[in-house]
Amino acid sequence: MTLKEKATQHILEIYRDNYDDDKSDEEILAFDPNEYDVDPENFYEDVLYSFFGMGTDVDIQSGTVQELIDQVAAKWDGSDIDRDWMENAMPDDF
């Protein structure tokens, strides 16, 4: 499996964890989360900061999910990802 395929798999999973809808993979890839009424900041932060540990290496807060995957795959070194991303994303006093 290529890095892009792995990134795609993980980001689709994160999308489904963040949004309760029944979109197909193809619909998700073509979708811009900014089209929701709810601010998609948590989705982007979960993907870039908490899960892939990229910090400010990738600066995308708009565009389709496919565009996000392309940027992540181009910069991700394939190192282990944070499997406890959601727990780590939550503040200690939550």
Side-chain angles (χ1 to χ4, degrees), residues 5 14 24-25 43 45-47 54 68 72 76 78 86-89 91:
E5 290 169 334
I14 293 168
S24 68
D25 288 355
F43 170 68
E45 287 186 1
D46 288 344
V47 170
M54 295 187 138
L68 174 64
V72 167
W76 182 38
M86 183 57 98
E87 179 180 323
N88 292 335

Side-chain angles (χ1 to χ4, degrees), residues 62-78:
S62 64
T64 66
V65 173
Q66 183 62 61
E67 291 170 330
L68 174 64
I69 289 168
D70 293 342
Q71 287 202 37
V72 167
K75 296 188 180 273
W76 182 38
D77 64 5

Side-chain angles (χ1 to χ4, degrees), residues 44 48-49 54-63 67-68 71-72 75:
Y44 290 112
L48 299 175
Y49 307 117
M54 295 187 138
T56 58
D57 295 342
V58 176
D59 184 24
I60 184 171
Q61 292 286 320
S62 64
E67 291 170 330
L68 174 64
Q71 287 202 37
V72 167
K75 296 188 180 273

